[in-house]
Amino acid sequence: MPQTARKRRPEARPDEILDAALAVFGEQGFAQARVEDIAKRAGLSKGAVYLYFPSKDAMLNALVEQSAGKLARAAEQLVAIGAPGDPETALRSLIRMLLTAMSDPDISAAPRLVLTEAGRSPEIAAHYRSQVLDIARRAMGRLLEAGVASGHFRPVDRDALMRVMGGPCIAHMVLTTIFDLPPKDITDPAEMADALCDLILFGLVPREEAA
Amino acid sequence: MPQTARKRRPEARPDEILDAALAVFGEQGFAQARVEDIAKRAGLSKGAVYLYFPSKDAMLNALVEQSAGKLARAAEQLVAIGAPGDPETALRSLIRMLLTAMSDPDISAAPRLVLTEAGRSPEIAAHYRSQVLDIARRAMGRLLEAGVASGHFRPVDRDALMRVMGGPCIAHMVLTTIFDLPPKDITDPAEMADALCDLILFGLVPREEAA
DNA sequence: TGTTACTGACTGACCGGTCAGTTATAACGC
DNA sequence: GCGTTATAACTGACCGGTCAGTCAGTAACA
């Protein structure tokens, strides 16, 4: 009966190990995490893990590579579909998606790992740069172009816009998941996303009421 | 002659060690850094370091505690002086200061360390929260209040504003110092700061020309 | 001669990675 | 079905390197 636990399913192993690795790395950080703990959580012995991954670093790389693309591709698609018609709504959905993802500790575990480990590992930094940042930058550029072309947006600097859109999402992630500093006034990620969009779109300085 | 090196200056040691620690931690990260390297850079042997600090963790804590307050206090003062008279200029100076600091690898080393190590060490997280984040949040609140009272700012959510102002600074730091991703269009931190302020103050959506 | 500041060889714990050995399953003959 | 063999999947004790932290001893001053 619970013999199922001992069944051999070599095809499923790599993903199981990566799931366990994400959980353990997320809880303890890469350096503190022990390969044996990852193995235990995946229901294996340490040796078995090394049948599927050549090193602890390789696990982290595979992890980043796997989860990195997902968000970036989702963001890219969202922009590709929404930007031409209604850039403002596309921007709102994009930030809403990002902030919701960043508020969930399970989903944000991978980006958080990148943030803490990229400085140590040039390989991870390079991966993330090409698989996420470059894609995000391109998508942002396209969104901006579409908005400017249709008169919805001002022609601002793309890299500044990238920082103004992505930065608050990172800040939100850091504040909530690392410093346990939830905002007192706004608790729902979607609400926070709306407040951020409002600021990004309309600015802090009031508009003259003369429309 | 180079006997000067062996002169005893026990009072100066702690700071010398912390300087060395900041440099080594900044270059290699906390986990990778060896206490012996810190000692060497401070012109001491490993044992001597342990006369002044009880552990490697204690060095990191002292480091964070020391450098944490500086920026926060500078920001607080800047706001306290500038906000009542001209909130918009105060905001511009604040972001300019932050972004310039973040662009300098030497100055941003401490915040970067906090970012990478706070998840592992509750003590550091707590320190930073009370010594930097709470102060920054208070200052931001005061700046906002002053601006709203004088009609310069709209009454937006304080935590959203904090994310919109601080986030891009963090993003800039991460992009430039971790991912070596300098913007193609803007290279000078001050210029980037101006572009960011422009976006934050006036928003992405163009204003009706009817003033 | 006593005290203070410091040295650096050493200890012990820890953990990534290995590999000789074990077990479950499949394959085959009968 | 039922032993027999082959092999893929897995185990966990062990090895080797690293490094935080210790401490017996030394050098510099007062």
Side-chain angles (χ1 to χ4, degrees), chain A residues 6 9 13 56 72 75 91 97 106 117 128 142 156 176 180 190 192 203 205 209 211:
Chain A
R6 289 198 111 278
R9 295 152 293 135
R13 290 289 184 234
K56 191 185 178 187
L91 184 146
M97 185 198 78
D106 290 341
E117 303 302 328
Y128 205 71
R142 232 175 285 140
V156 301
T176 54
D180 291 320
M192 176 58 83
V205 173
E209 281 116 34

Side-chain angles (χ1 to χ4, degrees), chain B residues 8 10 13 45 47-48 52:
Chain B
R8 279 116 195 264
R13 289 287 183 239
S45 68
Y52 298 97

Side-chain angles (χ1 to χ4, degrees), chain A residues 17-41:
Chain A
I17 294 172
L18 285 188
D19 284 350
L22 180 59
V24 176
F25 287 159
E27 278 167 19
Q28 324 200 9
F30 178 77
Q32 282 63 47
R34 289 165 35 197
V35 174
E36 181 139 23
D37 292 341
I38 296 171
K40 279 277 181 310
R41 187 178 295 231

Side-chain angles (χ1 to χ4, degrees), chain B residues 119-139:
Chain B
R120 182 188 60 84
S121 157
E123 200 177 345
I124 288 178
H127 257 133
Y128 204 72
R129 204 189 131 148
S130 65
Q131 298 298 309
V132 175
L133 297 178
D134 286 352
I135 290 176
R137 194 164 180 274
R138 235 187 359 253

Side-chain angles (χ1 to χ4, degrees), chain B residues 31-55:
Chain B
Q32 282 64 48
R34 289 165 34 196
V35 173
E36 180 138 23
D37 292 340
I38 296 171
K40 279 277 181 308
R41 187 178 294 231
L44 289 171
S45 68
K46 187 162 68 146
V49 166
Y50 282 93
L51 294 174
Y52 298 97
F53 293 94
S55 70

